Structures are given as C-alpha cells and as structure tokens.
Amino acid sequence: MKYYSTNGKAPIADLNKAVVKGLAEDRGLYMPERINKLPKEFFNNIEQMNFQEIAYTVACAFFGEDVDLDALLDIVNDTLSFDCPVTKVKDNIYTLELFHGPTLAFKDVGARFMARLLQYFLRHGSVDRNDIATNETVNVLVATSGDTGSAVANGFLGVDGIHVYVLYPKGKVSPIQECQFTTLGKNITAIEVDGVFDDCQALVKSAFMDQELNQHMKLTSANSINVARFLPQAFYYFNAYARIKALGEADNLVMCVPSGNFGNICSALFGHAMGLPVKRFIAANNANDIFYKYLQTGKYEPKASVQTLANAMDVGDPSNFARIINLYSENNQLTPEATHHRITNLISGSTYSDEQIKETMRQCYKETGYILDPHGACGYQALVDGLQPGEVGVFCETAHPAKFKEKVDDILGIDVEIPARLRAFMEGQKQSVQMTKDFNDFKQYLLKQ
Ligand SMILES: *Cc1c(COP(=O)(O)O)cnc(C)c1O
C-alpha cells in the first residue's frame, strides 16, 4: 500500500516510511491510497467472531500487503490482550468501554500497535532501506496532556531500538496520569515542561523541523497523526458493531465519539469506508467546538484551546481534521461545499460546557448508576440529545473514571475505586527531566543524548 500526503506536495511513501516519519515532508498527514472494502460475508458472520479475529481481518485490509501475515497476527494479538465490552446504560444507549487496556486508555491499542509495527520494520527493514539505518535508535517524541503520554510510554516500554520522550505540562496532568509515564524508566524519559500543553506541542513540532537535530538523531512522532497509531483504533468499531449485532440491535446504529484531535473518530470513519454498516456518526465535543462550528458553517477556524473538565479533548486545531476533509473530498477532487455536504450527511456534532458535563454525570449516575468520566459524558449526552426514534446509539467511554478520580468524586460525591492496575503505577518512583518552554533548551538537551 502506498501513502500520500494530505497536502499533496510530498513524495508517495510506503508503510514503513509513513510509520517512521509520522508526518510527510510537506507537513501533511499520510493517507492510504486505497481503502479496501471488506466482503459481505465478513459482516454477515461478524457476530460469531471475537475481538482478536475481527481485528486481524481489519488489520490485514490495512497492512496485509506490507507486513508478513504471521507477524501481523502476532502484533494484533499482542496489542489486544484485553476485552472492550459493549453494555447497555439505558433504553437504546450503549457504552463501548475503551478503557480496559494496560493504562486504561483507548490510546493503548494504537500505541502498542505502533510500537510493535515500528519494531517489525526496524528488524526486517523494507524496500526503501534509506528510511531506517539498522542499529540506529528511533526516538519517539510525544507531547501529552495526560492520556497519550501514558499509553505511548507503556506501549513502547521495553521495545528495543526505540527511545520515547514524553513532554508534559508541569502541574497540569492528573497525579494518576503523571505516574503512568514518569515511573517507568528503561527506554522512557519523562520531560516536565514549565508551560502548558500547547508549549509541549510546539517543542515537539520545532524539533521535527530542526535540521541539525534531525541529522543528529532519528525522530518520529506517536501522536494520532501517525497512521500506525490511529488506524488500529478502527478495530474497536468493528467489534462494537459485532457485539450490537449479536443483540439484534445493529440495524440503525449511531456511533458517538468524544473527540479532541479526531484520530479516534477518523478511524471509525475509515471503518465506515470499508463497509462497516453504521448509519451515522456523532462527534461529541467539550467547549472546544471548532469541528461543531465547521459542521454548522462550512468554515474551519482553528483557535487556541480552552481548558475543560474533559482535558484530553482540549484541542483547538484538531490534526486529523485534514484527514476527514481529504477522505470526503476524495483527495481534493470535490469542492469544499460538496465535501461539507457529504460530511454533514454522515456526521453531526455537539458541544458541552463544563457545567453541562457535570450535570450529565450526575443525571446519568442518578438514573442508571453508571459512572461516566467527563469525556464519556459528552458522548453519552450527545446520544441523549440526538438519537432519533428507532436508532440505537453506542458512545465510546474513552477513559476509566478513576483516571479523573478527584473530579469524578467531587462531582458525584462518591469514592471511585482505583483499579489495581492503576494503583500499581502509583507505587513507582517519579523520575522526570525539568525543561523550560524555550526550544533552544530542549534542543541542547536532545543534542546531548
Ligand atoms: C485522547 C482522548 C480523547 C480524544 O480522542 P481523539 O482521538 O484525540 O479525538 C477523548 N477522551 C480521552 C479520555 C482521551 O484520552
């Protein structure tokens, strides 16, 4: 499979290059040149397959031309060592719990898959040997407001040939999240930046653009711009469809995804393009409503993010927006108006303030006993507000409520139990490197590594 850039000015890449580079030379995002449809028989029998079997079929459609099939099976099974159950919350609303992975984040799947795929290419090389010199360490830079850092750090932990630098804003991630990437050691370095998330992001972006640094070391990104990180998230949606189909409820299915950088929903949309029979999608936003506004007006106007209770969705310029436009404009063949029309036919949006998020959490808990986290709350409420008669809705619960324990306890007046897996992280010793938000300091640090 070949990959092209959404900006259309970079050379076509193979999968190896797309994974190692992350971003194309023209700063665009890589897109597969084809999206393989899955056969009818697959969907006819999908409810008899388990998560791993479904994921392997989907993985073969994406990556089967470029990765040895036995190795791919191994990568899929290693990535999906957990379940992601679909359970009824009330009436026609189901929750798809994406938080049963190693760090209790939905990003665990993409992070682990990417780590294993990168390792595969480091070991086997590819047609284009120029992209990776054997024995050269690949350095993954990742900026995080919480969840990405922990998922990536744990996904890459102990994977040889790869070193991970996690940049996070000092004092602005929850204590539980912080210990999930600062206590690991080995090939994981946590960098505590005296600034906000946008400063971390800016440091990473500047590093990728700095020639001297790129000559010194091989840098890549593990944010959802990377095809190996966002595409595997489609596994979730095929599996959710299968589980709902087994209940006989899949005919008018609406999938609702709490969205920040739009990687997760983008993978669901790729699933739809592969034939996944979902009627329509809802992108649920917090107060950062750039996509919502785009749906209303057809204009995309990125702005600085605002801090909310659902902080993993505090994104003012969602990177995967470019992929969504590219997908529905058929690589810029359609006009912006026609593209907008296609998008609004399939995807609707909603946006919630912190007050509304709190109210939703309280109302849902009182009515159903289900504990929503602030991100999932946006998804749940979007279904409550938007489902039409005859539709069945599934929303992604993207984080375990214990990851936002202080907030959830405070809002609901309860004491959320911390799962053992999370507790284990909290017992480790924090190690981090202090950093200013000045790029030159960060650069000097990396040049010494
Ligand atoms: C990352 C994240 C999101 C947003 O996902 P995107 O793929 O960036 O849209 C939502 N909720 C939680 C808990 C997350 O960690």
Side-chain angles (χ1 to χ4, degrees):
M1 184 80 76
K2 298 290 182 217
Y3 290 79
Y4 66 88
S5 162
T6 51
N7 284 348
K9 296 191 185 71
I12 298 290
D14 63 7
L15 178 64
N16 181 338
K17 180 174 169 185
V19 174
V20 173
K21 284 192 66 67
L23 210 57
E25 291 90 339
D26 62 359
R27 317 297 304 155
L29 277 67
Y30 282 116
M31 292 282 284
E33 62 172 5
R34 269 178 297 108
I35 297 180
N36 294 324
K37 288 236 185 271
L38 289 168
K40 268 219 158 55
E41 307 80 70
F42 170 66
F43 293 108
N44 288 343
N45 301 312
I46 194 169
E47 71 276 19
Q48 282 145 35
M49 299 167 78
N50 67 29
F51 187 21
Q52 288 78 4
E53 290 164 343
I54 291 169
Y56 179 60
T57 307
V58 177
C60 287
F62 285 140
F63 307 116
E65 294 166 27
D66 305 298
V67 183
D68 172 75
L69 293 183
D70 288 334
L72 190 56
L73 180 62
D74 185 45
I75 293 173
V76 167
N77 287 336
D78 175 63
T79 301
L80 304 179
S81 55
F82 57 91
D83 197 17
C84 65
V86 177
T87 46
K88 188 178 231 172
V89 177
K90 70 167 189 183
D91 308 330
N92 50 350
I93 299 183
Y94 290 82
T95 172
L96 166 61
E97 292 184 348
L98 302 184
F99 57 67
H100 295 279
T103 75
L104 310 180
F106 80 80
K107 296 182 177 76
D108 284 331
V109 157
R112 185 68 184 167
F113 193 95
M114 181 186 161
R116 291 293 315 270
L117 197 60
L118 201 49
Q119 184 184 42
Y120 172 85
F121 284 130
L122 286 172
R123 285 184 183 161
H124 295 84
S126 74
V127 201
D128 188 354
R129 296 290 313 180
N130 293 331
D131 287 324
I132 309 178
T134 336
N135 297 330
E136 191 184 354
T137 299
V138 173
N139 298 280
V140 173
L141 301 184
V142 59
T144 187
S145 55
D147 260 12
T148 304
S150 45
V152 169
N154 285 274
F156 283 79
L157 182 64
V159 176
D160 41 79
I162 306 175
H163 196 100
V164 177
Y165 297 90
V166 180
L167 286 82
Y168 72 103
K170 186 183 181 76
K172 295 199 173 57
V173 304
S174 85
I176 292 181
Q177 286 180 323
E178 185 175 14
C179 64
Q180 285 186 302
F181 52 81
T182 55
T183 59
L184 300 169
K186 293 192 191 160
N187 59 331
I188 312 297
T189 303
I191 300 187
E192 195 169 2
V193 178
D194 199 358
V196 294
F197 170 69
D198 292 331
D199 297 317
C200 301
Q201 186 108 301
L203 287 178
V204 169
K205 282 192 179 154
S206 303
F208 288 137
M209 284 188 288
D210 190 280
Q211 280 205 345
E212 192 186 351
L213 209 48
N214 281 276
Q215 272 157 15
H216 175 72
M217 65 207 295
K218 182 136 249 152
L219 297 175
T220 191
S221 143
N223 287 79
S224 57
I225 54 168
N226 200 301
V227 290
R229 232 205 82 195
F230 98 92
L231 279 173
Q233 292 166 1
F235 303 159
Y236 289 136
Y237 297 94
F238 285 88
N239 184 57
Y241 172 78
R243 306 290 77 92
I244 294 282
K245 185 165 181 250
L247 302 171
E249 298 255 51
D251 289 343
N252 277 303
L253 196 57
V254 178
M255 295 242 179
C256 180
V257 187
S259 297
N261 252 328
F262 282 71
N264 202 6
I265 196 168
C266 200
S267 75
L269 297 172
F270 271 69
H272 183 256
M274 293 166 83
L276 184 66
V278 170
K279 185 180 164 198
R280 62 188 187 92
F281 294 86
I282 304 176
N285 283 152
N286 57 24
N288 293 280
D289 59 357
I290 291 81
F291 187 75
Y292 177 81
K293 290 246 170 74
Y294 165 77
L295 292 174
Q296 310 304 309
T297 65
K299 290 197 191 72
Y300 180 69
E301 295 176 320
K303 52 186 179 198
S305 63
V306 297
Q307 244 187 325
T308 76
L309 278 174
N311 64 3
M313 289 154 49
D314 293 349
V315 181
D317 185 5
S319 30
N320 285 289
F321 181 76
R323 279 203 171 102
I324 296 178
I325 294 295
N326 196 274
L327 184 61
Y328 294 105
S329 68
E330 285 163 28
N331 194 13
N332 300 320
Q333 290 186 66
L334 301 186
T335 63
E337 292 74 27
T339 306
H340 179 255
H341 185 71
R342 283 185 76 189
I343 292 175
T344 52
N345 267 344
L346 184 64
I347 314 168
S348 62
S350 50
T351 167
Y352 297 103
S353 67
D354 276 0
E355 273 319 305
Q356 289 171 312
I357 289 173
K358 287 185 198 169
E359 187 48 37
T360 295
M361 289 169 66
R362 290 191 196 106
Q363 180 64 28
C364 177
Y365 183 62
K366 196 171 93 188
E367 195 182 328
T368 71
Y370 190 74
I371 303 174
L372 291 163
D373 97 294
H375 305 81
C378 297
Y380 171 81
Q381 191 61 41
L383 287 179
V384 170
D385 293 341
L387 272 188
Q388 304 295 318
E391 289 179 338
V392 168
V394 178
F395 72 96
C396 298
E397 180 40 288
T398 47
H400 192 291
K403 286 191 103 172
F404 301 92
K405 181 170 168 54
E406 295 85 0
K407 291 173 184 169
V408 175
D409 284 358
D410 185 47
I411 294 165
L412 297 183
I414 58 176
D415 183 11
V416 176
E417 197 180 327
I418 300 179
R421 218 173 322 151
L422 213 46
R423 215 175 270 288
F425 285 110
M426 297 164 76
E427 280 153 16
Q429 184 69 38
K430 173 178 158 178
Q431 304 165 45
S432 67
V433 175
Q434 302 292 320
M435 193 64 61
T436 69
K437 59 184 178 189
D438 179 357
F439 175 62
N440 205 40
D441 287 344
F442 182 49
K443 179 175 171 177
Q444 293 312 318
Y445 168 78
L446 286 180
L447 286 174
K448 280 190 228 114
Q449 305 303 309

